[in-house]
């Protein structure tokens, strides 16, 4: 096969500016303390398993201890050998682990017996997290986790690094993912002199990017291009006080059910004098207590800020996490309110982000999707504006009224929502008046729930697929449920118990809306599109 013939160079680019079109890959190692930070978990797991075995048969354990009391040094030597093997393996794994970064992807290679190399394309980047487990915080280290579109196991974790290095690398990757660094290598400096203009729709304005543009180091082959992108400016939007978070947990129905069970167990033990009943209920009590503590510790100090590179979320008591969700990557938003939260009018906001499908514990996986743990309605709507600054309501003055109807309205007072018909009363006697949907120019709003109110918002361009579900009882009553399929996450958008013809009509119309919205969706590297638009406007102005 013959090589392609190069196109003749145009006169305007006959003398290109010096500088490489693509960076040479430089493989770097993580911090040397990484084996200790990772290896201690294996040591603790072995001790826990051994302790459980001893507790299961105390008598045999005591006899075994008596038989080896004279050979205590053998036991100690064995423990030291096990610890040495664990940390030796971790150290060898550290030497075989390295990462490299260029304008297109992040590459990570690791493995001892089985070598593995993974790469995360920056144009598919969904979010960047900076994790600091408790032991890593003691050493001033952090782990960088990149979530990309492609499923629950598509992320790349780089760690551990010094916290300052992790923050610099995060800023650099966000600049590359946004196309800023690639554009600086090819575009004239004037293309980057201005920032992103705030939206004209009255939503949450994005901060100016002029302070976030690197000024260049003036050294090396890329003179005028700084390899370390500075931290972009941010503006804090809201913060969740610890007192409000604790009060919200105490208002959860599960907590009160656990308290009643504990009181019942205590009364039973006092009456029957059977202490074994308490030990039987201990796993359930510890489970409820552990869930409450993990949720409090995981959402402690929750703060949200808006920056040019996305929505920045910081939270955590023992393990801190700093998330950065690039703009336009949220697939769905949900606002929920439990029955005991109605007095203070508190709401919880969660999101579906592609790439956040799993890979961590259930509790940590849930916390990844939280945009607001608990907050009044104003903060909940602010969290929604961070994702969708404009719902594109036909009359913008009706936006707040529409959202009020979406959060607390029903069929008796609805103006915009299409709800379930009266034939759905037998299938859903409590919520049939709440079940419904409304459509704006930007998104579909699905409402439901009577005791636990919920509102799910799905941008048209983020719709993965659509469907209609109909069970035998629904078929007998002429009903069907309309389902929007989103990326893996806590939100499963659906409108339950619509009339059959209404569900079919919505399916056809929503398919057309999603197709049209995807055709006009912005580029994956959002900053490149903004920079190109600014350059075009400047060119027109000079013309």
């Amino acid at each position: 096969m013959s090589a392609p013939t190069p196109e003749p160079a145009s006169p305007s680019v006959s003398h290109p500016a010096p500088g490489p079109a693509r960076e040479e890959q430089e493989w770097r190692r993580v911090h040397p303390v990484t084996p200790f930070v990772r290896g201690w978990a294996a040591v603790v797991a072995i001790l826990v398993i051994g302790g459980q075995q001893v507790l299961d048969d105390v008598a045999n354990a005591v006899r075994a201890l008596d038989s080896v009391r004279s050979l205590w040094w053998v036991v100690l030597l064995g423990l030291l050998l096990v610890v040495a093997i664990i940390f030796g393996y971790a150290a060898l794994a550290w030497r075989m682990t390295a990462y490299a970064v260029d304008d297109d992807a992040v590459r990570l290679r690791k493995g001892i017996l089985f070598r593995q190399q993974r790469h995360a394309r920056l144009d598919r980047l969904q979010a960047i997290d900076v994790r600091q487990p408790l032991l890593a915080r003691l050493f001033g280290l952090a782990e960088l986790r990149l979530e990309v579109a492609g499923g629950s196991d598509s992320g790349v974790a780089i760690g551990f690094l010094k916290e300052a290095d992790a923050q610099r690398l995060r800023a650099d990757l966000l600049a590359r993912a946004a196309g800023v660094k690639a554009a600086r290598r090819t575009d004239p400096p004037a293309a980057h002199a201005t920032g992103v203009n705030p939206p004209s729709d009255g939503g949450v304005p994005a901060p100016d990017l002029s302070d976030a543009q690197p000024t260049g180091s003036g050294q090396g082959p890329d003179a005028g291009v700084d390899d370390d992108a500075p931290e972009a400016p941010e503006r804090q939007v809201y913060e969740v006080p610890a007192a409000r978070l604790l009060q919200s947990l105490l208002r959860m129905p599960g907590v009160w059910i656990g308290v009643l069970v504990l009181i019942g167990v205590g009364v039973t033990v006092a009456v029957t004098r059977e202490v074994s009943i308490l030990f039987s209920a201990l796993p359930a009590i510890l489970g409820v207590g552990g869930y409450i503590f993990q949720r409090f510790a995981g959402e402690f100090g929750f703060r949200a800020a808006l920056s040019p590179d996305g929505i920045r979320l910081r939270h955590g008591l023992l393990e801190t996490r700093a998330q950065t969700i690039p703009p336009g990557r949220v697939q769905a938003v949900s606002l929920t309110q439990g029955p005991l939260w109605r007095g203070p009018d508190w709401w919880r906001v969660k999101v579906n982000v592609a790439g956040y499908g799993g890979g961590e514990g259930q509790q940590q996986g849930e916390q990844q999707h939280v945009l607001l743990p608990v907050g009044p309605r104003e903060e909940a709507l602010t969290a929604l504006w961070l994702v969708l600054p404009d719902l594109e309501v036909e009359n913008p003055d009706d936006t707040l009224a529409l959202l009020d109807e979406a959060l607390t309205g029903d069929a008796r007072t609805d103006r915009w929502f299409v709800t379930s018909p009266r034939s759905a009363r037998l299938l859903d006697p409590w919520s049939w008046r709440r079940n419904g949907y409304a459509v704006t120019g930007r998104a579909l709003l699905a409402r439901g729930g009577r005791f636990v109110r919920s509102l799910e918002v799905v941008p048209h361009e983020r719709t993965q697929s659509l469907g209609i579900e109909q069970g035998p009882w629904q078929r007998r009553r002429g009903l069907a449920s309309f389902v929007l399929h989103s990326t893996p996450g806590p939100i499963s958008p659906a409108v339950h118990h619509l009339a059959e013809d209404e569900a079919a009509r919505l399916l056809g119309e929503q398919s057309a809306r999603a197709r049209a919205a995807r055709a006009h969706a912005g580029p994956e590297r959002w900053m490149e599109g903004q920079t190109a638009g600014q350059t075009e406007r400047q060119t027109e102005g000079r013309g």
Side-chain angles (χ1 to χ4, degrees), residues 1-7:
M1 181 173 62
S2 60
T5 303
E7 296 182 1

Side-chain angles (χ1 to χ4, degrees), residues 286-473:
L286 293 177
V288 174
Y291 174 82
I292 296 174
F293 176 77
Q294 288 183 11
R295 182 158 165 177
F296 177 80
E299 298 174 355
F300 179 84
F302 197 99
R303 303 185 303 278
L306 190 63
S307 73
D309 51 32
I311 305 168
R312 295 182 182 175
L313 307 175
R314 295 180 177 87
H315 52 93
L317 179 62
L318 301 180
E319 175 182 324
T320 61
R321 180 188 292 269
Q323 297 175 248
T324 303
I325 303 176
R329 302 303 176 91
V330 175
Q331 310 294 309
V333 188
S334 75
L335 292 80
T336 56
Q337 182 187 64
L340 300 181
W341 284 14
R342 294 186 185 177
D345 199 16
W346 287 341
W347 294 83
R348 182 176 177 87
V349 184
K350 294 186 288 187
V351 293
N352 277 2
V353 180
Y356 269 173
E360 299 190 55
Q362 180 178 0
Q363 185 72 15
Q364 290 184 343
E366 180 183 352
Q367 292 168 359
Q368 278 185 318
H369 299 272
V370 175
L371 192 58
L372 175 66
V374 56
R377 182 178 302 197
E378 294 77 10
E379 287 187 4
L381 295 182
T382 299
L384 178 61
W385 297 139
L386 292 179
V387 179
L388 290 172
D390 184 15
L391 291 176
E392 297 183 9
V393 180
E394 184 175 353
N395 183 0
D397 295 335
D398 293 333
T399 301
L400 289 180
L402 169 64
L403 290 173
D404 286 340
E405 182 176 303
L407 295 175
T408 59
D410 59 29
R412 290 167 291 191
T413 59
D414 279 344
R415 174 183 171 189
W416 291 278
F417 273 76
V418 178
T419 55
S420 302
R422 295 182 65 86
S423 57
R425 286 181 299 172
L426 292 178
L427 299 182
D428 195 353
W430 301 108
S431 305
W432 69 275
R433 284 193 176 97
R434 281 274 302 165
N435 297 333
Y437 75 91
V439 178
T440 70
R442 182 68 193 281
L444 184 140
L445 288 70
R447 186 187 68 187
R450 175 66 65 182
F451 294 108
V452 179
R453 295 170 176 169
S454 68
L455 170 65
E456 296 159 345
V457 184
V458 182
H460 298 316
E461 69 273 14
R462 302 302 172 191
T463 303
Q464 303 295 314
S465 62
L466 304 170
I468 293 180
E469 297 178 353
Q470 188 180 49
W473 290 103

Side-chain angles (χ1 to χ4, degrees), residues 208-222:
D208 186 79
L209 290 182
S210 56
D211 295 336
Q213 304 301 333
T215 57
S217 60
Q219 299 176 356
D222 288 335

Side-chain angles (χ1 to χ4, degrees), residues 35 87-98 109-112 115:
F87 283 101
Y89 182 86
L92 184 59
W94 168 77
R95 289 190 59 86
M96 304 298 291
T97 302
R109 60 187 185 191
K110 59 182 180 179
I112 300 176
R115 299 290 291 159

Side-chain angles (χ1 to χ4, degrees), residues 187-257:
D187 292 349
H192 310 284
T194 60
V196 176
N197 295 325
S200 59
D201 50 34
V204 177
D208 186 79
L209 290 182
S210 56
D211 295 336
Q213 304 301 333
T215 57
S217 60
Q219 299 176 356
D222 288 335
V225 177
D226 188 358
D227 287 337
D228 291 330
E231 187 79 9
E234 67 177 40
R235 177 171 59 86
Q236 183 167 308
V237 181
Y238 53 79
E239 181 177 3
V240 179
R244 184 203 299 168
L245 178 61
L246 183 59
Q247 292 176 28
S248 70
L249 295 176
L250 295 178
R251 287 173 176 264
M252 293 174 56
V255 174
W256 291 101
I257 294 175

